[in-house]
Amino acid sequence: MEITVSSNFETRMDPCKLGFLVALGFGGVLMNTLPLWIGEMAISSNVSDALAGAAGSVVLLLVAILCTILRSQRAAAWGGYTLVLSLLLFAFSVGSSKVLVLIACGGIGVSMGVVLSGAFAHLAQAEDPQGVISIAVTAGLIASLAAYLIVALTPISIQWVLVVFAVPVAIVCSAASENTDAHPDLDALDIAPLPKSLIPFFVMMGAYWAFLDVYGAQYMERQALELWLLGTLLTGAAGSAAAGLVPQSYRRRMMGVALGLAALTGALTYVGLTGIALGLAILANAFFLFLFVPLYLVESQTQMAQRMALYLASFAFGGGIGALLLNFGGYTALAAVTASTGLLAVPLLRQTR
């Protein structure tokens, strides 16, 4: 097995690639901390849980839509600065204005979608997209852990942490967008079929994470659960880092393994495990899910933006679908559907490109 690291050095030397790598990493931070800043909105702005949850779903859907319809690297510059302004509006509006905080959520979704669309437009022509995606996702998960620790150990709220993180992202995106002449945007959108067989699995992963906090609190103390959940950022980072080392000839096979094990560990989480067994299942699910996602994204280099959009849009509906399953069959139904959607999708991977 031959593993080269030269592309990683190129990533550090190329300001364009580095800028968009940072953008992808911050996208991960924004999504991974979504429960925290949406929860802060619900508490401080007296927004109902239903409305807060809907706002979170709308953010994901807006990111997905913009990733699909835009293919401009240069647009990432104004997207980065708009993202900072939207986060500032959110930070100042939390606790004061429901209307402004909801408008800010819309701005965050749109601007983050613009930034990610520029990043994926560049990666569509990169020499080593798998390595870049792996590094970006890994860095995003580690930065997310740092954000959670800052909030837990200091009086700084999550919205201000995100503002601070977003400022350098806007700067490097602006610099990257000015160095795109050597990598012009592709003219045509890749209209090859997307792997729609994965939609049920992505939806159930959204459901899995939506109810994990509530379910886990029934079987372990809150403080212990929070530590396990923080641990998922580390195991997820390990999975993403491992994805960068998978040779292209083994990519499809590893995708199938990671997909199946993510589904199984997700189902095991909801079958009444307690204590350490429950915590280990949660950690394992994060590892296999983040091992799968980078490989899934880079399987079609010119479709990475659409694939991310498919993942985010499906994930956004997870809470609603999960709630319906809980009403009809409780956590047993949630576990059964999580396992079946993943395991049924494994053989279908061979039929998609």
Side-chain angles (χ1 to χ4, degrees):
M1 181 189 303
E2 181 180 352
I3 300 174
T4 60
V5 296
S6 60
S7 59
N8 293 344
F9 289 102
E10 289 174 8
T11 299
R12 288 193 287 268
M13 295 299 294
D14 182 357
C16 187
K17 189 181 291 185
L18 176 61
F20 289 127
L21 186 154
V22 171
L24 288 170
F26 182 74
V29 174
L30 199 64
M31 304 309 165
N32 292 325
T33 59
L34 183 71
L36 199 57
W37 53 273
I38 288 295
E40 180 72 18
M41 177 186 74
I43 296 171
S44 300
S45 298
N46 196 26
V47 174
S48 68
D49 290 344
L51 182 57
S57 295
V58 168
V59 169
L60 294 178
L61 289 173
L62 287 173
V63 174
I65 291 170
L66 270 297
C67 275
T68 302
I69 64 177
L70 283 183
R71 296 177 63 79
S72 173
Q73 299 173 67
R74 293 189 180 278
W78 67 261
Y81 291 120
T82 305
L83 179 60
V84 173
L85 293 175
S86 298
L87 286 168
L88 279 171
L89 178 62
F90 182 86
F92 281 117
S93 301
V94 165
S96 59
S97 172
K98 292 182 183 179
V99 175
L100 287 179
V101 80
L102 292 173
I103 291 174
C105 286
I108 291 169
V110 170
S111 52
M112 192 70 248
V114 172
V115 170
L116 290 181
S117 71
F120 284 121
H122 178 77
L123 288 179
Q125 304 168 75
E127 294 182 1
D128 181 27
Q130 183 173 328
V132 175
I133 290 287
S134 172
I135 294 171
V137 175
T138 302
L141 287 162
I142 293 174
S144 300
L145 177 59
Y148 274 100
L149 291 176
I150 290 171
V151 172
L153 301 176
T154 73
I156 304 174
S157 59
I158 183 60
Q159 56 266 33
W160 289 109
V161 173
L162 292 175
V163 169
V164 172
F165 280 18
V167 171
V169 172
I171 294 172
V172 297
C173 280
S174 178
S177 66
E178 294 175 359
N179 289 275
T180 57
D181 292 337
H183 303 279
D185 298 326
L186 297 177
D187 294 329
L189 186 69
D190 189 340
I191 58 174
L194 291 168
K196 299 180 180 63
S197 60
L198 293 173
I199 291 177
F201 169 72
F202 291 152
V203 170
M204 291 313 301
M205 283 295 98
Y208 172 85
W209 288 99
F211 295 97
L212 192 55
D213 189 67
V214 175
Y215 177 82
Q218 302 176 26
Y219 294 96
M220 64 175 67
E221 294 183 1
R222 169 64 60 180
Q223 188 174 18
L225 175 61
E226 290 176 352
L227 289 175
W228 285 112
L229 292 176
L230 283 178
T232 63
L233 296 173
L234 291 176
T235 57
S240 176
L245 301 177
V246 176
Q248 184 174 352
S249 58
Y250 288 93
R251 184 186 297 163
R252 180 64 66 89
R253 187 179 304 173
M254 186 57 69
M255 283 176 62
V257 171
L259 172 61
L261 291 175
L264 287 176
T265 53
L268 283 174
T269 303
Y270 286 108
V271 296
L273 297 179
T274 60
I276 294 178
L278 175 58
L280 291 176
I282 295 171
L283 294 182
N285 178 266
F287 176 85
F288 292 117
L289 178 62
F290 283 101
L291 172 61
F292 172 78
V293 169
L295 300 177
Y296 153 77
L297 290 175
V298 301
E299 190 183 24
S300 176
Q301 187 169 353
T302 57
Q303 279 194 320
M304 285 187 289
Q306 298 100 301
R307 283 173 171 254
M308 175 59 83
L310 183 71
Y311 172 72
L312 292 177
S314 302
F315 212 86
F317 289 103
I321 298 300
L324 290 175
L325 289 171
L326 291 180
N327 286 333
F328 284 109
Y331 287 109
T332 301
L334 188 63
V337 177
T338 299
S340 61
T341 54
L343 295 177
L344 289 173
V346 170
L348 296 177
L349 284 175
R350 299 177 181 177
Q351 303 173 19
T352 59
R353 299 293 298 178

